[in-house]
Amino acid sequence: MLGSRIRKKLRSGQPVLNVGVTFHSPLVVEWLGLSDIDTVYLDAEHGSINESQCEEMVRAAFLVDKPALVRVPHNDPHTILRYLDIGTSGIIAPHVANAEQVRQAVDAAKYAPMGHRSFGPARFFSRRPGQSVQDYIRQANEETLVIGLFEDIAALEHLDEMTQTPGLDALVIGTSDLSFSMGYTGQSGHPEVQKVVDKVIAACHKAGIATGLPASSVEQARDHIARGAQIISLSFANLVIESAQQFVTAVRSG
């Protein structure tokens, strides 16, 4: 659990650079840990990885001192519990469209008195020597990040209530699904979609929480930061493809 260092960066206004992995590979997580990225996020919603595979990748992240976030397949207490019990530093809950769904994610991710997460002793046994149950619970609540995915235009009318929900650290905007929900299929850069993105960023700033956006290039990441987003996510696939293309172009043009 290393989420508090990410929360500290967000609260100080610094960007958090995040690389997403959709397939099972602890080795890839170790490689990413050799870089200066801030977090690795494991996509268990759209990716092929399950809980057991995520656990191996979370352990790899811990060995290289990187927080690992999991995009859970469903925003329900049992699913969130199982992905947190493997030692994840935080969860990304998909398709949160109102304050009640945000509260549900927070409630499932936090132990009492902040929530109603069930206590499983397996991870507790690997705690620091001499740490009590009470101290472990306190640390887990402090270290666990809760991030919501804003992906549906229907959520716009509930935006202020969502951003003001206690325990929510950030809203990440899923621009692809947002464009679908607005009738601009596959047009995440459409001006109307981007107007909604700006509204989400503004609401998050007002509430004192962070906003996140996906990027496919260095230029797009810089643009996102300039407009106020803090969590910038790049897929491992994009990272490899762009790096490989830059290598080929540089060699052939020389």
Side-chain angles (χ1 to χ4, degrees):
M1 298 179 292
L2 303 169
S4 61
R5 73 171 64 161
I6 300 305
R7 186 179 293 112
K8 184 177 180 180
K9 290 194 74 169
L10 293 175
R11 289 179 176 174
S12 66
Q14 299 179 67
V16 168
L17 305 180
N18 189 22
V19 175
V21 182
T22 60
F23 55 91
H24 178 232
S25 178
L27 183 58
V28 163
V29 174
E30 286 187 52
W31 288 341
L32 291 172
L34 299 177
S35 74
D36 290 332
I37 65 163
D38 294 300
T39 68
V40 176
Y41 94 85
L42 312 178
D43 190 344
E45 182 189 17
H46 291 293
S48 60
I49 43 181
N50 59 31
E51 297 158 26
S52 296
Q53 292 168 333
C54 278
E55 183 173 22
E56 294 174 0
M57 295 169 76
V58 167
R59 286 175 177 166
F62 184 78
L63 287 175
V64 291
D65 197 35
K66 293 293 180 185
L69 309 176
V70 174
R71 177 171 171 168
V72 296
H74 306 287
N75 180 21
D76 69 74
H78 183 68
T79 300
I80 290 173
L81 171 68
R82 291 184 65 82
Y83 279 96
L84 284 178
D85 273 358
I86 64 177
T88 307
S89 294
I91 57 102
I92 304 173
H95 292 285
V96 291
N98 55 55
E100 180 55 36
Q101 291 174 352
V102 175
R103 282 192 292 270
Q104 178 174 299
V106 173
D107 190 68
K110 303 290 187 177
Y111 291 113
M114 297 177 66
H116 291 88
R117 177 181 170 185
S118 176
F119 178 70
R123 188 59 54 187
F124 170 71
F125 290 139
S126 61
R127 68 196 186 283
R128 296 193 302 265
Q131 187 179 31
S132 67
V133 174
Q134 292 78 12
D135 286 343
Y136 173 82
I137 295 300
R138 190 179 304 109
Q139 181 194 8
N141 280 347
E142 291 173 354
E143 295 284 354
T144 303
L145 291 170
V146 180
I147 298 171
L149 265 173
F150 185 100
E151 305 176 88
D152 305 282
I153 190 58
L156 189 60
E157 63 179 298
H158 307 292
L159 181 58
D160 286 339
E161 296 174 354
M162 291 167 63
T163 58
Q164 293 168 19
T165 302
L168 180 68
D169 293 291
L171 278 181
V172 171
I173 306 167
T175 50
S176 292
D177 279 352
L178 178 61
S179 71
F180 276 66
S181 74
M182 295 177 67
Y184 301 111
T185 305
Q187 302 176 66
S188 58
H190 192 283
E192 293 301 316
V193 177
Q194 292 305 308
K195 285 181 183 178
V196 175
V197 170
D198 285 333
K199 289 179 180 179
V200 176
I201 293 174
C204 287
H205 280 190
K206 181 180 177 182
I209 66 171
T211 318
L213 280 168
S216 58
S217 66
V218 172
E219 293 75 16
Q220 189 176 43
R222 287 172 174 164
D223 288 343
H224 289 340
I225 293 171
R227 73 194 293 192
Q230 282 185 265
I231 302 174
I232 308 300
S233 300
L234 177 70
S235 73
F236 182 74
N238 272 336
L239 182 65
V240 171
I241 292 168
E242 184 165 324
S243 298
Q245 187 58 47
Q246 288 175 354
F247 172 77
V248 171
T249 300
V251 172
R252 288 179 177 169
S253 63

